[in-house]
Amino acid sequence: KALLPALDPGFLEHSDFRDFYKFCFKFNLHGTHKTHEKDLAINLMEMVLKERIDKERIETFCSFLKTTKDPTYERMTLDQWSSFLEFCVEVKDLKKDYDEENSAWPTLIDDYVEYMENQ
Amino acid sequence: MADSKKKFTIKPFITHAQVDRKGAEEIWAGLRGAIDEIHDRNASYLSFEDLYRSAYNLVLQKHGAFLYDGVTKKLSMQLLSAVERLAEIPDPTLLEEVSNSFNQHHITMVMVRDILMYMDRTYVQQNRRKPIYELGLHLYRVTVWEHPQVQSRVTELLLKAITDERAGLLTDDRSLLKSNLTMLQELGDADDSNVYERDFENIFLGTTQEFYRNESTSFISTNTASDYVNKAKARFQEEKARTSALSLSPTTEGPLNKILETELIERHALTLVQMENSGFVAMLKDDTKIEDMRNMYDLFVRVPSSLDYLRDALSEQVKSDGKALVADQEKGIADAPTFVRGVLKMRERYGNIVTTSFRGEKKTIKRLKESFVDFLNADARAASCLAIYVDELLRSGLKGATEADVAAELNKVIIVFRYLSDKDVFESYYKQHLAKRLLSGRSVSDEAEKSMVSQLKAECGNHFTSKLEGMFKDMSISKETRDAYKLHKREKEQQSRDSNNNENISKMVDIEVDVLTTGYWPSQNVPLCALPDPVKKSIDQFSVFYLEKHSGRKLSWQTSTGTAEIRATFGKAPKLRRHDLCVSTYQMCILALFNERSTLTLREIRSETRIPDMELRRHLISLCTPKHRILRKGSKGKGINSDDDTFTFNNDFTSKLKRVRIPLVSMKETSIAGGRDMAENAAAGDIMKDGSDGGAGSIPGPVEEDRRHLVEAATVRIMKARKSAHHNDLIAEVTKQLSARFQPSPQFIKKRIESLIEREYLERAQDDRRIYMYVA
């Protein structure tokens, strides 16, 4: 855990960072599991993305994850993990830039946006 | 004659004497006089040949212009005196006089033209002058028609005549109007002066428009919609008739119709539809107004855009009627069969309206379908209600019906079935109902069942009905098996008797077995309860028999279904009462316990019979109802309150019947007592009479699971073929492929895609995350 921040040299290009980000997910997998428990994913995400992504986005997303009661979100998949990064980069303004019908964001992110709308 | 040379002499061509100017004038004088005679109707004294030759000579001698101008002048003067006379004619006879005058002129011109035909063909053509006949018309126009005392008065008289006709007043001879109007058209054609349009048509169209605008507005405010429609229809016919009677130019007809359509129909279409009590919307509710509606349709057909109002009205009415039915059903005022009957009746009624009043128009048929689809699928219970209705039909409703009746009734059901978007939900419920009917033998007729299945097959294809057909097959095979088993048992008994081994026989009971193939029937994964010994022995014996014939198969006994007949003895000796009780398998197990003890607690019963709790309560309570109090419940009230509740055999039970059927109480009643979540048992296959299914209109679990599989299978299939696909395209394609069974939401499909990504069937494209790639 303490190792991670040291591993992220801030000068990584976005595409390389993307690979690094995915690596973080895969590296921490236990045994034959392909997904992470929600809490672990939250902590990991906060750590890895701390320097790169807008603080508010991370915070709201993590609090969404914590409060959601949907049983299918108890574990996070690699797809959801990597999509989140793309999402943060592409969609700055949740109201204007988010196009639910035409983009193929995982339903986790659709639900996150809805959660933010209800706030 | 040696030297007689024939000498050809060329004689000079004898020319006629040159006709000089003076000569021309003389010839012309003759012609001029002739024209006068013609005009005065004294033509018979003239020699056509002479006159023709005169004209011919003039033209030949290069006096064509002179002749032409002379004719022009002569005609003009004649016309001038004619018009002076006409100007003095009073209005009442003016039309007739003008008509006559034009007629005369026409006769004159024909003759004059004939005389001057040579000039027409030579001088006129070469010098591009008006041909004689056209010249005559042109002169008529400028001299006669355009005289202020003629033009304005005639126009006014014509228009007035038409106005009078429209007002229903008798008018003079239409032929006069016709001849005057024809004259105008001819005049206009002759010199491209458009007099007809300028002096008549434009004004006519203008006054017509004003007339109909006023008439329609005032009529509609004081009459019913149907009356208006009839009047409008009459006006259309009238104008059409007049157009042909008066020989109005074809160019008038178009604009005239447009005016009628705009003023009579377009302007008032919405009003006609919405008019209180008599508008289209009101007529839709009235069974006697189908003809009137058709009349309105026929009228509106002339202005296709106004038909939208009619279709909208129909659609709204259907939806509102439909929603009312749905509301009744939801509130519980109407049960499922009543609801469906209402829908079927609605379908028939509105179908009839579309066929008759809308003349079966395709657009409206489509609209009708959309409206039904709309309100039926707003509520997820439509599918289950329809299934219940069919169950009712096949249990009792079609009793005694002819084959044709059966087909007709079931066909009506299929029509509504087509409107359902959740067809797979219907299938699931239908299967459950069918299973119950087959197993309890409560089907009204085998033919009716088969008829329904074949109609479903025609509608949805084989795979939909293959399982159903499997169920029928199971039933008939079961019967054969039963017969074989009976034979087998008899033989065994015979053997036993012969060898004096009585023990085994007496301890067994008769059983009738239905052997079902697991895949075909609705699944019941209920564990075995504890059966009484005699029953167990019979079951084992049958199992042995069956498995001998079909080794490799596995039999699992479904104790949650089935019935039993128990002989129970009540009362005290010598006044013993024997009754045969028809009970469920579970009840049999429960009652058997009371052979040993007269009172038992709920806990004891549960542990000894191993019946699942909810079912146990239900079957127990059924044995304690006032009408069928086989057992006496210890606690007060309807429900079972605790595990320590006692049940005692009721020796005082009486019944008029020897054979008593113990009905099962519904799940609802048990839950009043139990207070537990009903959803727990919805999967056990209990179907409610009121169309509810444990959760207001939710999709049954197995169906939901089925849908997930179908979506995933379709997705994989599509991706395998395409290799890559854009998100939207994939969703669209999957939806299309499954639309015959149900309507998956894009969200639902998306979730399945994510699941497939996780299981590595698909992956996102590197450069565009909206594109999926197939993973081989």
Side-chain angles (χ1 to χ4, degrees), chain B residues 17 54-55 73 327 337 409 473 497 533 565 594 643 665 759:
Chain B
S54 305
K73 218 158 98 193
E409 279 304 310
K473 210 151 162 238
R497 218 165 277 145
D533 267 347
E565 264 191 46
F594 287 87
D643 279 1
V665 298
R759 279 135 62 197

Side-chain angles (χ1 to χ4, degrees), chain B residues 149-208:
Chain B
Q149 288 289 60
V150 173
Q151 184 184 42
S152 55
R153 288 200 294 156
V154 169
T155 310
E156 260 180 58
L157 287 167
L158 289 173
L159 290 172
K160 181 161 191 307
I162 294 176
T163 310
D164 287 347
E165 270 191 14
R166 286 185 181 145
L169 299 170
L170 283 174
T171 50
D172 298 326
D173 190 10
R174 263 179 170 181
S175 64
L176 269 185
L177 304 174
K178 176 174 169 173
S179 58
N180 273 280
L181 287 167
T182 317
M183 169 187 81
L184 275 184
Q185 288 171 61
E186 276 188 50
L187 292 179
D189 286 342
D191 60 0
D192 289 330
S193 57
N194 295 327
V195 263
Y196 170 78
E197 286 80 3
R198 186 192 72 191
D199 295 337
F200 173 73
E201 193 187 62
N202 293 347
I203 313 173
F204 167 69
L205 291 176
T207 55
T208 302

